[in-house]
Amino acid sequence: MSIAIATIVLGIAFLAGGIAAIRTGWLLPLQRRHVRRPELFGWAQIVMATAFFVQGGSLLLGDAGVRMGGSTIGMGLLFIGLLASVVAQMSRRTP
């Protein structure tokens, strides 16, 4: 139960960071030097927040099938968010 609550709290933190990056372009000081596209990075954080919400919600439910499905969907979303955040950190090529 405490792991589920921790993942949901982590999801809330990612959601807040993603909304801030999309609306204002604000990033954490450690990320400012690396991120080239703050809006894409914000969307990546929202996808990762959704992954944490799915995983935490599935852990709160008692059925083993639901937990396995939620974990699988959450990991897929987390991977998509990770790829989007890597793309957001890559520099744009100008011909």
Side-chain angles (χ1 to χ4, degrees), residues 1-47:
M1 175 108 161
S2 63
I3 293 175
I5 293 171
T7 55
I8 291 173
V9 169
L10 188 62
I12 291 170
F14 268 77
L15 184 64
I19 291 171
I22 291 172
R23 290 194 50 130
T24 64
W26 184 85
L27 298 168
L28 291 172
L30 294 173
Q31 298 168 336
R32 289 182 188 153
R33 187 174 57 171
H34 302 288
V35 176
R36 305 286 182 237
R37 300 178 210 166
E39 187 175 349
L40 178 61
F41 191 76
W43 283 110
Q45 284 186 322
I46 288 177
V47 169

Side-chain angles (χ1 to χ4, degrees), residues 24-83:
T24 64
W26 184 85
L27 298 168
L28 291 172
L30 294 173
Q31 298 168 336
R32 289 182 188 153
R33 187 174 57 171
H34 302 288
V35 176
R36 305 286 182 237
R37 300 178 210 166
E39 187 175 349
L40 178 61
F41 191 76
W43 283 110
Q45 284 186 322
I46 288 177
V47 169
M48 288 191 276
T50 305
F52 287 125
F53 290 143
V54 168
Q55 287 180 341
S58 68
L59 287 174
L60 289 176
L61 299 174
D63 191 350
V66 172
R67 285 193 309 249
M68 184 174 172
S71 294
T72 304
I73 292 170
M75 287 304 294
L77 287 171
L78 199 59
F79 184 69
I80 291 169
L82 178 66
L83 287 177

